[in-house]
Amino acid sequence: MKKNTLILGIETSCDETAVAIVKNGTEIITNVVASQIESHKRFGGVVPEIASRHHVEQITLILEEAFQDAKVTWDEIDAITVTEGPGLVGALLVGVNAAKALAFAKQKPLVGVHHIAGHIYANRLEKEFQFPLLALIVSGGHTELVLMKEHGSYELIGETRDDAAGEAYDKVARMLNLPYPGGPHIDRLATNGEKTINFPRAWLEEGSYDFSFSGLKSAVINKIHNAKQRGETLKDEDIAASFQASVVEVLTAKTVKAAKQYNVNQVIVAGGVAANKGLRKELEAVFLDTGIPLLIPDITLCTDNAAMIAAAGTIAYEQGRRSGLDLNANASLPLK
């Protein structure tokens, strides 16, 4: 294999159209992202059909912009990586078909990448992994603890049984009449609030590393409804602070416990909710006491982007994994 490997990454799993070029799996040459948040705001969430149409309109433009920005040619690209799942199937299909067309036209190897693997490898764009490591994934659709003993090896030790953390944030934000996406707005409100409401913490069975946020979401909604019926006024800031305290405590406690049990050398945090300032602050404080190195990527690498797909795809490519031109989108692709 040549000294420097240039990998093209394509990501269209939800509402960001993204293309990136990454060198050796660790250095971002370019990372272009076209967000659709403004288009989905008025609906209070992502509308799959609208997302897919935007991807169709944007994908060629973003590809062109990425190559212009990187100042590289197709001859220098070693492989094309693309998110094959999980995600919105219509959105995924745009990226998958674009990648297959390019792989065929340019005669380049094609590698399908798991979206969550991408979020995990966003961390490697900042610092090298130290195995074994524990990854906490927190996003709109996923809340998971994954043990990694080597590159490309994923052992799921805990997952959400109902609402993911990000999903709970969005639902609570909707109750507070906050715009989509709700997470950042709840996070900002929480900094000005007091943790005056004792919302439940779902610890589940003894020794379980699974998560559950549906009950917490329902408790918040019931608290708001009951207060209105009694004519009481609750401060939105206090609701946000109390809700976030419950989420952060469970995420932090289970991550620390798992990190100690599995004797890991590093803990990494991944996914959109990893941008949450309250969560970042608490994790940093707790892990400082444990002595276990903690890695949380820059906020720009927490949300969906293509550099993370190229980073994860680099490992798969170097391990000899290849996808055929029959590669298809898989909305519920398991992490293996």
Side-chain angles (χ1 to χ4, degrees):
M1 188 176 293
K2 68 180 187 178
K3 188 176 181 181
N4 289 320
T5 304
L6 282 184
I7 301 293
L8 176 75
I10 298 174
E11 154 65 25
T12 63
S13 67
C14 191
D15 60 340
E16 278 92 11
T17 313
V19 175
I21 296 172
V22 169
K23 182 194 287 186
N24 298 330
T26 58
E27 182 185 341
I28 298 174
I29 306 301
T30 185
N31 191 20
V32 184
V33 181
S35 176
Q36 302 176 13
I37 285 177
E38 293 303 318
S39 297
H40 298 284
K41 255 184 184 176
R42 59 195 172 112
F43 302 106
V46 177
V47 181
E49 176 66 17
I50 292 174
S52 301
R53 289 176 182 271
H54 275 302
H55 288 313
V56 171
E57 293 168 0
Q58 292 287 332
I59 188 66
T60 305
L61 299 173
I62 300 303
L63 273 161
E64 290 176 353
E65 184 178 340
F67 272 90
Q68 288 170 3
D69 184 51
K71 295 180 174 60
V72 301
T73 66
W74 272 105
D75 288 340
E76 297 172 86
I77 298 297
D78 291 281
I80 299 168
T81 63
V82 62
T83 306
E84 62 173 304
L88 302 174
V89 69
L92 288 165
L93 279 168
V94 178
V96 167
N97 283 311
K100 289 198 294 184
L102 289 167
F104 177 77
K106 304 296 183 180
Q107 291 297 291
K108 299 290 181 181
L110 176 67
V111 182
V113 175
H114 194 285
H115 183 72
I116 297 304
H119 275 302
I120 289 171
Y121 273 88
N123 285 272
R124 193 170 179 248
L125 292 165
E126 294 193 346
K127 195 171 183 180
E128 190 53 77
F129 286 172
Q130 301 172 44
F131 298 109
L133 66 78
L134 181 70
L136 169 66
I137 297 103
V138 271
S139 68
H142 300 267
T143 304
E144 297 163 352
L145 281 169
V146 176
L147 180 67
M148 293 181 66
K149 295 178 180 177
E150 60 185 5
H151 280 302
S153 168
Y154 311 99
E155 182 184 341
L156 189 66
I157 63 171
E159 61 186 328
T160 185
R161 297 183 182 179
D162 39 60
D163 287 354
E167 193 177 356
Y169 266 92
D170 283 338
K171 288 176 179 177
V172 169
R174 204 171 297 136
M175 285 300 301
L176 297 176
N177 297 312
L178 298 172
Y180 171 83
H185 297 285
I186 294 275
D187 193 21
R188 278 193 289 271
L189 269 181
T191 59
N192 299 316
E194 299 291 333
K195 304 166 192 174
T196 56
I197 307 167
N198 185 25
F199 286 128
R201 274 77 165 152
W203 300 110
L204 304 176
E205 307 85 27
E206 182 68 30
S208 173
Y209 290 119
D210 283 353
F211 300 95
S212 171
F213 295 107
S214 181
L216 169 61
K217 169 209 66 183
S218 298
V220 176
I221 292 171
N222 289 337
K223 185 73 175 179
I224 294 169
H225 283 159
N226 291 341
K228 284 180 180 177
Q229 288 168 353
R230 290 194 295 264
E232 297 175 0
T233 301
L234 296 175
K235 289 184 178 180
D236 288 354
E237 294 88 345
D238 293 347
I239 294 171
S242 302
F243 163 75
Q244 180 153 295
S246 177
V247 175
V248 168
E249 184 179 338
V250 173
L251 290 173
T252 303
K254 292 208 173 199
T255 304
V256 169
K257 187 178 178 183
K260 290 178 178 178
Q261 180 182 333
Y262 288 94
N263 196 28
V264 299
N265 292 323
Q266 188 181 46
V267 171
I268 64 176
V269 189
V273 184
N276 183 284
K277 292 178 181 176
L279 177 61
R280 293 169 81 99
K281 183 179 178 181
E282 184 65 20
L283 283 168
E284 285 166 356
V286 169
F287 274 97
L288 192 63
D289 292 335
T290 66
I292 302 171
L294 174 72
L295 181 56
I296 311 177
D298 184 79
I299 288 173
T300 57
L301 291 174
C302 291
T303 50
D304 291 352
N305 64 88
M308 68 184 200
I309 301 304
T314 299
I315 293 296
Y317 171 71
E318 290 174 347
Q319 291 178 339
R321 273 190 48 210
R322 301 290 184 270
S323 301
L325 292 178
D326 59 347
L327 179 68
N328 200 3
N330 187 342
S332 54
L333 183 70
L335 182 62
K336 295 180 180 178

